[in-house]
Each structure stands twice: as C-alpha cells, then as structure tokens.
Amino acid sequence: MRKLLSLLLAAMMTFAMVGCSGDNTEKTTESSSELETTEGTGNEIQTTTKSEMTEENESATKESEQETTTEKQAEVQTQKPTEKPTEAQTQKPTEAPTQKPTEKPTQKPTEAPTQKPTEAPTEAPTQEPVEAPIVKKEGTVADADYKKAVSAFENIVKKMRTDGLVKSSDVCVTMDSTSIKVDITFDNKDTDIVLIKDSSTNVCTLTFDYDFMWLEGYATVIKGKDTALYNKDILLALLSIVSNEPQILFDRIDLDCFSPASLDTEKWTEIGDSFIKSGGMKVDEYISYNITKEAKDTRDSSYVLTGTTSAGKTIECVIEYDSSLVSYQLVDNGNNDWVINGEKLPSGIVTKLENVDESKIGPVCYPMIKTCTSYENYKKEWIDKYIALGDPNAEITEYNSHTVNGYTYYWFEGSFKTESEIGDPDIVYVQITENEYIQLYNVMFQERFEDFVNGSFYVKEVKIK
C-alpha cells in the first residue's frame, strides 16, 4: 500500500515537473523533502525507496525527453537537409553546368569555325588557283605567239568547260616554242591534234588522231556529248595560228578527208594565203598535212586578159601561169561567130589558153570576161538558157571549188540537149569584181583542180581603167 502510494506520488511529481516552470519545480521539491522527512522518522527503508523511485522516474523521464528530442532533431535533420540540398544540388548544379556550357560552347564555336574557315579556303582555291589557263605554256614562248594562241582557243575552251565536256581544271591546250597540242579525250595517252613548226623551213606539220572527226554522228562521244562540232572549232582555231583564212584551209582538208578530191603528197597546193600538201598517214592511227605561208608555186609568166565592164570601162585581169604547162595567145576568130557546146564566141581576136604538152589532153579553152553578179545567179541563168532553147531537163553537176589570193574558183559540168545541139561542157567560173567574172567554157584538164588553178590560171590582180 505504501509502495503504491509512493509510486503514485512519484508519477504526480514527474507530471508536475514536466508541466511547470522553475518556481513550481522548487516548490515541489520542497514538499517532497518535507514528506520524506516526515516519513523518514517512521520508517527509514520506505524513504529510501521513494527517493530511489523518484530518481529512477526522473531518469526515465529525462531519457524519454532526450529520445523525443533526438527523434525530432533527427526528423528535422532528415527532412530539411534532405529536401533543400536535394533540390539545390540536384536541380541547379545539374541544370547550370549541363545547359549553359552545352549551349554556348557547342553552338558558337561550332558555327564560327565550321562555316567561315571551311567556305573560304574551299571557294578560293577552286575558282582561281585550280582553274587551268586557256593555254598552258611550257618553257620559253614568245609573248606575241602566246597571246595569239590564247585568242584563238579562248572561245572553244570556255565553251567546252561550260558544256561540261571538260573540267575547268583540265589542261586542254599546251604550247611550247615549236608546237601547240590540243587534247580533250583524257582516257588515252595520245594527243588529239598537234601543230609542230620547223623553224628551219617555216613548214608546219598538222597531225591529228585517225578518230579525230568533225562529222556529226561519227565523232567520239564524251560525257554523252558528240564531239564533232567541238573538234571542228578546235581545228579551225589551230589553223588560225598559221593562216589568216582558216576556214578555206579547213574546207580543203575536209575535201581531202571525205571526197575524191585529194591533196597531192609531192606538189604544194595554194589555199587562201597558204600552201598545203598531204603528209604522212597511217590507217587507224593518224593523218597529217604540211602547211606553210612560204611561196611554193612554179609560176614564171603572166598574161593580161582584157574585157569591158557593165559600166563600159576597160577591165584588165593579170593571169599568172607556169610556162612549162600552158601558154596564152591571141588568135583571130575572123568574122565568124563560133559556137562551141552552145557557147557563142565573139568574132575577131580572142585569147586562147592551150596546153604546151601535146601528149596531154588540155587544158584548152577560150577565157572571157563577162558580166554577172554572182556564181549562184550564173548557174540559174545557164539552166534557164537551155530550158528556153528546148531542154526542160538541163542541169549542172558541181565538182569542186578552190579559193586562193582572195578569189574563189568554181568547177561544174553542164548537161543539155536541144534540137540543134547536145553538150556537156566543163566550166570554170571565178568572180573578179562585183559584177564581172571570168568564164572558161568547155575547158579540159587532167590534173587536180587546185593544180590547174595554181599552175595554169592564177588570178593575180584585177584593174579597171
């Protein structure tokens, strides 16, 4: 019973101590002392037990309070440090280093070095330094010769580059002191066409591949393009290096390659302002020609052919010829009007061209100066004349033409049949002024047309008085 009372008092004291301030604690302590003193006189063992119990309870209470406080502090330490540091350290450090360093260093340094340094070095070397010159010089080349070559090839080289036939970095034309080489087919070691000059003779040798063609449909195809027209321009450009009349030279070479009118391999033929003859050739490999501007003719005599212009003036035409081949002389036709193959010859004294070698046929004819404005008009007038005479089937067959010293010679054969005459004359026509021409009617010759013109009937000069 006492023990129970002591426990009850101890519990009440404990409650009072927890709920009250310092003053109340002191009062409680005093009351407790008084109680212990009162009881101590009666029973000493019981006092001691209460004191021990009190101490145990106080100790237990303090431990409980400490545990409670410790738990609260643990919760505070667990919650606050966990929540705030987690947000601060997890979000901010992660976002700041991840986003900012990634955006700024990655974007700016990448754009600047990638675009500017890459574009500038790539464009500059490609457009200027890498582009090949129109003509590449090798060794020492005279400035005048180099400029002439560049002028000749500039248009065709630019056209081939624009059309994609060659790249701008491809070297198509190479030049040294004695030669010019042109190449547009880079799949082999051969040079397409080359012009080599012999400085000791001033003779140029033009050599091109056997497959170097300027006929459409027959030329080599490069990158899907027919090279025929390009080859023609290349050949014309190369011929302009040695002649002021490259088209005339080209036409004669074209005849030699693709018609029976071949060039001689021994005798020079005067074409335009140059002389040409066929050089060496090897089937399926190459074709060559010799070209020079040095005089190679054998003309040693001249004759003045006279006539009257459409304006009534006297016209004189100086004819040069090789006296070992032909002669010019005046013959009297009398009062008779001769008609030869439908052509009426004037009466009186006329010029006669005849061969000095009786073993050969021709040339024999009567050259005359007459009036007409062009070769085309002459052909029309000739056919119309024989149609009017009764032959609706009159026609002409053209054989050849030859240009030299500024004059163009045309050769054709006529054919007609009338009630009184049948004829097939060979005619040579050359326009010597705007309205006058020389006609060789019913002419005969055995040599090549150019040889006949150059050796037997070369128009040197025309004078009007």
Side-chain angles (χ1 to χ4, degrees):
M1 189 72 177
R2 291 178 180 175
K3 193 173 182 177
L4 182 60
L5 182 60
S6 297
L7 292 172
L8 181 61
L9 288 174
M12 291 177 64
M13 289 175 65
T14 302
F15 178 79
M17 288 176 64
V18 173
C20 297
S21 64
D23 293 338
N24 291 332
T25 303
E26 290 176 358
K27 290 179 180 180
T28 305
T29 306
E30 290 176 358
S31 299
S32 179
S33 300
E34 291 177 356
L35 182 59
E36 288 175 356
T37 304
T38 304
E39 290 181 355
T41 56
N43 192 347
E44 190 173 343
I45 295 174
Q46 190 174 9
T47 301
T48 302
T49 304
K50 289 181 180 179
S51 179
E52 291 176 354
M53 290 291 292
T54 300
E55 290 178 358
E56 289 178 359
N57 290 332
E58 288 177 355
S59 176
T61 301
K62 289 179 181 180
E63 289 178 0
S64 176
E65 290 176 354
Q66 289 177 356
E67 290 176 359
T68 302
T69 303
T70 303
E71 290 176 358
K72 289 181 179 181
Q73 290 176 350
E75 290 179 1
V76 172
Q77 290 176 355
T78 303
Q79 294 175 358
K80 290 181 180 180
T82 302
E83 293 175 0
K84 291 183 179 180
T86 300
E87 293 178 359
Q89 293 176 2
T90 303
Q91 296 177 358
K92 290 182 180 179
T94 303
E95 292 177 0
T98 303
Q99 295 178 356
K100 291 181 180 179
T102 301
E103 293 177 357
K104 292 181 180 179
T106 303
Q107 294 177 356
K108 290 182 179 180
T110 301
E111 291 176 0
T114 302
Q115 295 178 358
K116 292 181 180 179
T118 302
E119 291 176 0
T122 302
E123 292 178 0
T126 301
Q127 294 179 358
E128 296 180 5
V130 175
E131 185 172 358
I134 299 298
V135 178
K136 181 182 177 182
K137 288 192 292 186
E138 293 184 346
T140 303
V141 179
D143 289 341
D145 293 340
Y146 180 72
K147 289 178 181 178
K148 185 176 183 179
V150 171
S151 177
F153 286 98
E154 185 171 15
N155 289 339
I156 179 58
V157 171
K158 287 183 177 180
K159 179 176 175 59
M160 290 190 296
R161 290 175 179 177
T162 300
D163 294 350
L165 199 69
V166 298
K167 296 182 292 185
S168 61
S169 58
D170 288 334
V171 176
C172 299
V173 186
T174 305
M175 181 182 190
D176 58 29
S177 60
T178 60
S179 67
I180 299 177
K181 300 176 183 178
V182 186
D183 200 7
I184 61 173
T185 53
F186 303 105
D187 58 349
N188 56 52
K189 296 181 180 180
D190 297 334
T191 301
D192 292 332
I193 186 168
V194 59
L195 182 72
I196 301 176
K197 182 178 180 180
D198 185 343
S199 57
S200 63
T201 62
N202 290 326
V203 174
C204 295
T205 300
L206 174 72
T207 305
F208 50 81
D209 282 349
Y210 200 82
D211 295 330
F212 184 85
M213 302 283 287
W214 48 88
L215 297 180
E216 293 186 69
Y218 294 91
T220 303
V221 176
I222 299 177
K223 297 181 179 178
K225 295 183 181 296
D226 189 336
T227 60
L229 296 180
Y230 301 96
N231 289 340
K232 179 179 179 180
D233 287 342
I234 288 171
L235 179 53
L236 283 168
L238 203 55
L239 291 173
S240 71
I241 302 299
V242 295
S243 172
N244 294 326
E245 300 176 277
Q247 184 65 52
I248 296 174
L249 271 178
F250 170 83
D251 291 341
R252 189 60 190 91
I253 292 173
D254 181 70
L255 280 174
D256 182 75
C257 289
F258 305 110
S259 81
S262 60
L263 286 166
D264 200 298
T265 58
E266 299 296 331
K267 296 178 62 176
W268 290 92
T269 297
E270 188 172 359
I271 302 290
D273 60 356
S274 304
F275 292 84
I276 185 172
K277 67 178 181 178
S278 181
M281 182 194 74
K282 192 170 184 180
V283 177
D284 293 333
E285 291 192 19
Y286 67 88
I287 299 173
S288 68
Y289 297 91
N290 300 129
I291 304 171
T292 183
K293 296 189 76 172
E294 299 288 337
K296 298 294 183 180
D297 64 84
T298 57
R299 298 185 298 268
D300 58 356
S301 300
S302 65
Y303 178 81
V304 178
L305 182 66
T306 60
T308 303
T309 69
S310 58
K313 294 184 178 182
T314 300
I315 182 170
E316 296 180 347
C317 181
V318 180
I319 307 296
E320 288 188 347
Y321 61 96
D322 185 344
S323 61
S324 66
L325 300 176
V326 296
S327 66
Y328 285 80
Q329 57 181 315
L330 291 173
V331 296
D332 188 356
N333 188 26
N335 294 322
N336 299 319
D337 290 334
W338 294 354
V339 177
I340 301 177
N341 270 341
E343 182 70 13
K344 182 180 179 180
L345 299 180
S347 60
I349 298 176
V350 295
T351 299
K352 183 180 182 181
L353 166 63
E354 61 182 352
N355 183 19
V356 297
D357 187 351
E358 295 181 357
S359 64
K360 294 183 178 179
I361 300 175
V364 177
C365 67
Y366 296 89
M368 292 180 291
I369 296 177
K370 302 183 73 172
T371 300
C372 188
T373 56
S374 71
Y375 171 60
E376 295 300 323
N377 288 337
Y378 175 82
K379 290 188 294 182
K380 184 177 184 304
E381 290 176 2
W382 193 92
I383 293 177
D384 289 345
K385 173 184 175 180
Y386 290 104
I387 290 176
L389 291 175
D391 184 4
N393 298 317
E395 61 179 357
I396 62 175
T397 302
E398 295 183 90
Y399 289 137
N400 206 346
S401 65
H402 178 62
T403 301
V404 62
N405 196 32
Y407 301 97
T408 301
Y409 302 72
Y410 300 94
W411 172 30
F412 71 85
E413 179 183 16
S415 177
F416 67 91
K417 181 179 181 181
T418 66
E419 291 183 356
S420 60
E421 194 171 8
I422 298 175
D424 57 348
D426 279 22
I427 299 171
V428 173
Y429 176 104
V430 53
Q431 195 84 30
I432 56 175
T433 69
E434 185 177 353
N435 295 311
E436 283 74 42
Y437 69 93
I438 297 177
Q439 171 187 274
L440 303 181
Y441 194 89
N442 200 35
V443 65
M444 295 179 289
F445 54 89
Q446 290 183 320
E447 65 264 70
R448 293 176 309 114
F449 182 55
E450 294 95 340
D451 294 337
F452 166 74
V453 170
N454 292 327
S456 302
F457 186 65
Y458 182 89
V459 177
K460 179 66 174 179
E461 185 180 7
V462 176
K463 301 177 183 178
I464 298 177
K465 297 181 178 181

